[in-house]
């Protein structure tokens, strides 16, 4: 099978400017939110990644007309009055974020048949809180031949108080999008507070939804009869911005990141500061400069505003070449340390025990073939390859392409020696 790889020669310092696109984890959800209103929704700053193509196809199957222009990064979604309610396995299995249509479908049509999702291989990622919340709002939920089948009563969903066991991003989105058209008041307690959730809330409010407590862990939604289509610009991708910040630190470089909100990654930037980097705020973003080997920094991933799990592999990569040792604790996805085995192929010294990883910094990594197991693991391996001696070949770059637009081109522009190549893989 012909696959693509990144071939990297390590040792170059990165310097220059990069502009971040809109957040993948917001854009995909905003596209699904469009289903809540009949008519034309226009979304700006939608990144040109495969997942956007998959979500566009999913919306088309539900009856929408969707256009996406990669040059302008504008997606237009025209939603008919009557939409279908089935999200097929062939699309959902390719992208877990397909579950974002669940709430809008139940709210709009009273039912949803959504294939149980696949997506990144980074943990079990249950749906129990999505289901329990919808049931509390009056829905009947069954698991039927690999599909989650949801039916609202004929009178629609009813607002209620929902407590989430854990501030799940996905469950908060499902309940929020179900509640905006429900009868009465829904209170989502222990809600996720990620900037992408705030972005969705802001778009919903523009559409006519009534939501209080935006950005807090208690969202109060008062249902309305209908919502209107709007224009909306996606929040910048804080994980991509954070990846560039680590790239500057690990390569002892100097990168100015624009279209970025430093407040959204303040904890990560503070960690880089502790590692010895100089972080300054500039118009429309931030700048990270570094002139020495980084110091190892401890990390504990937590729901926002805690340290983002999606930046954990990049920080493990940095710690693996840092001075000293660091403890990294992963609290969100149990399988996220799978990438450590790949990093070890470069000579990194990382010991894992349950959800802890002890990283002992080494003065040198040595280039080797490695495989990306998910988007962020892939980014972490590329960063490690940038500082490893000799050649690193990162396989399965299709994972990286799902989260980073033209990653290798941007890296090359900043001074990295990296090329995309086709290769024959036995898969
Ligand atoms: C989203 C992001 C992902 C990010 C994560 C945490 C998208 C497309 N993906 O994923 O990049 O890493 O937030 O910031 O936006 N869980 C349950 N039951 C549930 C819901 C979740 O057990 O009903 C568990 C999951 O198995 C997982 C953890 O909670 O271990 C986090 O899940 P959640 O916050 O929902 O993340 P996602 O929405 O899947």
């Amino acid at each position: 099978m012909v696959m693509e790889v990144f071939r990297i020669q390590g040792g170059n310092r990165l310097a220059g400017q990069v502009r971040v696109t809109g957040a993948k984890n917001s854009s995909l959800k905003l596209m699904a939110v469009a289903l809540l209103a009949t008519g034309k929704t226009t979304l700006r700053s939608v990144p040109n990644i495969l997942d956007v193509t998959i979500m566009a196809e999913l919306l088309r199957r539900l009856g929408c007309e969707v256009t996406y222009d990669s040059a302008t990064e504008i997606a237009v979604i025209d939603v008919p009055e009557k939409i279908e309610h089935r999200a097929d396995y062939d699309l959902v299995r390719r992208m877990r974020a397909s579950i974002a249509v669940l709430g809008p479908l139940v709210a709009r049509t009273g039912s949803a048949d959504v294939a149980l999702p696949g997506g990144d291989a980074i943990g079990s990622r249950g749906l129990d809180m999505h289901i329990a919340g919808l049931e509390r709002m009056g829905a009947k939920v069954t698991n039927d031949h690999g599909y989650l089948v949801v039916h609202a009563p004929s009178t629609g969903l009813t607002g209620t108080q929902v407590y989430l066991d854990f501030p799940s991003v996905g469950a908060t989105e499902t309940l929020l999008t179900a509640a905006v058209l429900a009868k009465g008041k829904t209170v989502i307690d222990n809600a996720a507070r990620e900037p992408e959730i705030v972005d969705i809330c802001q778009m919903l409010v523009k559409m006519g939804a009534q939501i209080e407590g935006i950005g807090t862990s208690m969202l109060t939604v008062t249902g309305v009869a209908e919502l209107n289509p709007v224009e909306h610009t996606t929040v910048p991708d804080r994980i991509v911005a954070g990846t560039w910040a680590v790239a500057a630190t690990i390569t002892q470089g100097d990168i100015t990141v624009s279209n970025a909100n430093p407040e959204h990654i303040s904890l990560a930037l503070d960690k880089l500061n502790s590692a010895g980097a100089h972080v300054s705020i500039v118009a429309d973003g931030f700048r990270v400069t570094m002139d020495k080997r980084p110091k190892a920094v401890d990390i504990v991933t937590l729901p926002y505003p805690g340290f983002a799990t999606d930046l954990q592999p990049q920080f493990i990569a940095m710690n693996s070449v840092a001075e000293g040792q660091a403890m990294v604790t992963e609290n969100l996805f149990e399988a996220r340390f799978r990438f450590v085995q790949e990093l070890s192929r470069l000579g990194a010294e990382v010991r894992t025990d349950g959800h802890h990883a002890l990283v002992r910094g080494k003065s040198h990594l040595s280039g080797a073939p490695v495989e990306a197991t998910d988007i962020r693991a892939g980014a972490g391996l590329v960063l490690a390859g940038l500082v490893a001696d000799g050649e690193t070949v990162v396989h399965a770059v299709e994972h990286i392409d799902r989260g980073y637009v033209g990653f290798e081109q941007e890296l090359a522009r900043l001074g990295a020696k990296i090329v995309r190549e086709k290769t024959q893989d036995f898969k």
Side-chain angles (χ1 to χ4, degrees):
M1 200 169 160
V2 177
M3 307 288 281
E4 290 188 332
V5 299
F6 287 158
R7 191 176 294 280
I8 305 166
Q9 303 290 334
N12 284 17
R13 178 173 181 268
L14 301 191
Q17 303 209 351
V18 281
R19 190 183 155 77
V20 170
T21 58
K24 163 182 102 72
N25 286 352
S26 203
S27 281
L28 297 170
K29 323 299 175 61
L30 299 176
M31 290 174 80
V33 163
L35 288 169
L36 287 163
T38 306
K40 232 178 227 179
T41 292
T42 303
L43 297 174
R44 297 181 192 281
S45 214
V46 176
N48 182 20
I49 50 174
L50 177 65
D51 286 11
V52 165
T53 313
I54 297 174
M55 184 57 89
E57 183 53 30
L58 179 52
L59 296 181
R60 281 189 200 105
R61 293 221 198 142
L62 294 169
C64 306
E65 269 179 38
V66 186
T67 58
Y68 175 67
D69 181 354
S70 56
T72 57
E73 298 188 318
I74 294 176
V76 179
I77 300 153
D78 198 349
V79 183
E81 213 153 292
K82 253 187 95 61
I83 53 173
E84 303 296 327
H85 62 266
R86 185 178 170 91
D88 292 316
Y89 176 67
D90 64 324
L91 291 177
V92 176
R93 68 184 261 274
R94 296 180 66 193
M95 182 182 69
R96 185 184 157 87
S98 310
I99 200 72
V101 300
L102 177 62
L105 287 183
V106 185
R108 267 301 296 282
T109 71
S111 42
D113 294 8
V114 179
L116 291 163
D120 281 353
I122 52 170
S124 64
R125 299 178 128 191
L127 292 173
D128 52 321
M129 288 182 265
H130 301 242
I131 295 168
L134 290 172
E135 284 176 340
R136 271 189 98 115
M137 296 175 78
K140 278 222 153 37
V141 185
T142 51
N143 181 341
D144 194 14
H145 299 290
Y147 278 72
L148 198 66
V149 178
V150 184
H151 288 293
S154 55
T155 48
L157 296 174
T158 309
T160 181
Q161 173 107 15
V162 183
Y163 301 90
L164 297 181
D165 294 344
F166 167 91
S168 150
V169 170
T172 303
E173 288 162 356
T174 294
L175 300 178
L176 184 62
T177 48
V180 285
L181 291 176
K183 280 198 308 288
K185 199 176 268 191
T186 304
V187 178
I188 309 172
D189 207 343
N190 200 21
R193 289 179 279 165
E194 269 68 2
E196 295 77 25
I197 300 271
V198 172
D199 199 23
I200 293 166
C201 285
Q202 285 170 346
M203 174 162 156
L204 285 167
V205 167
K206 266 194 242 169
M207 292 167 80
Q210 287 186 23
I211 307 171
E212 280 164 56
I214 295 174
T216 74
S217 53
M218 194 187 292
L219 293 169
T220 304
V221 184
T222 308
V224 295
E226 65 173 3
L227 296 170
N228 303 306
V230 291
E231 277 197 37
H232 186 79
T233 303
T234 315
V235 68
D237 198 314
R238 65 195 161 101
I239 305 301
V240 172
T243 303
W244 288 121
V246 180
T249 309
I250 199 171
T251 67
Q252 301 183 26
D254 179 356
I255 302 181
T256 301
V257 186
S258 66
N259 190 36
N261 186 339
E263 278 173 29
H264 291 169
I265 46 165
S266 51
L267 197 45
L269 292 177
D270 190 56
K271 289 284 177 189
L272 294 179
N273 198 51
S274 304
H278 179 70
V279 181
S280 52
I281 307 302
V282 300
D284 197 29
F286 59 86
R287 176 178 177 185
V288 179
T289 53
M290 183 65 158
D291 55 10
K292 53 183 173 294
R293 185 177 170 200
K295 284 200 192 68
V297 286
D298 292 339
I299 302 293
V300 179
T301 70
L302 281 172
Y304 190 84
F307 189 93
T309 174
D310 287 353
L311 283 173
Q312 178 258 92
Q314 299 87 320
F315 271 75
I316 289 195
M318 184 190 80
N319 279 330
S320 72
V321 292
E323 217 179 285
Q325 63 178 35
M327 180 66 87
V328 175
T329 305
E330 172 57 55
N331 288 314
L332 279 91
F333 294 113
E334 68 258 36
R336 203 144 216 178
F337 286 146
R338 270 182 41 183
F339 114 102
V340 160
Q341 288 170 15
E342 292 300 306
L343 195 65
S344 307
R345 296 180 51 77
L346 302 177
E349 235 186 276
V350 188
R351 271 206 353 247
T352 59
D353 182 6
H355 58 132
H356 299 292
L358 182 67
V359 191
R360 277 184 224 279
K362 307 244 309 213
S363 57
H364 289 281
L365 295 181
S366 75
V370 289
E371 179 167 339
T373 47
D374 68 67
I375 306 176
R376 311 304 168 187
L381 290 169
V382 169
L383 295 182
L386 292 176
V387 292
D389 296 339
E391 183 174 283
T392 295
V393 178
V394 181
H395 291 253
V397 299
E398 65 274 11
H399 288 297
I400 303 174
D401 289 338
R402 288 184 45 213
Y404 297 86
V405 182
F407 196 36
E408 84 285 9
Q409 290 159 5
E410 295 281 48
L411 285 164
R413 211 172 43 73
L414 295 173
K417 273 193 141 177
I418 178 169
V419 287
R420 180 186 292 261
E421 282 178 5
K422 291 207 187 317
T423 178
Q424 195 73 34
D425 263 20
F426 298 100
K427 280 222 164 169

